[in-house]
Amino acid sequence: MTSTNKNVTTAALSGAAAAAVVGTAVYMMNGKSRTVHKIKRNAAKTVHAMGSIVSGVSEMLR
């Protein structure tokens, strides 16, 4: 794995972890409101998109 690929992977994982922490905190504070559901859904989409980006970058670098 090249240095650039490691940096992208590290950044993606850090972002995913931060999104998970924020989503969990908001969920615990607000219960089951529509806003919380929307935030969790958007966070899940973001994490999935980052996974796709990392996969695409790693394929390009092979």
Side-chain angles (χ1 to χ4, degrees), residues 21-33 35-36 39-40:
V21 169
V22 170
T24 301
V26 170
Y27 176 76
M28 293 180 81
M29 289 175 61
N30 293 327
K32 295 183 180 182
S33 71
T35 304
V36 173
I39 290 170
K40 286 177 65 178

Side-chain angles (χ1 to χ4, degrees), residues 1-11 57 61:
M1 208 188 275
T2 64
S3 177
T4 304
N5 196 16
K6 287 181 184 178
N7 291 340
V8 170
T9 303
T10 302
V57 169
L61 294 175

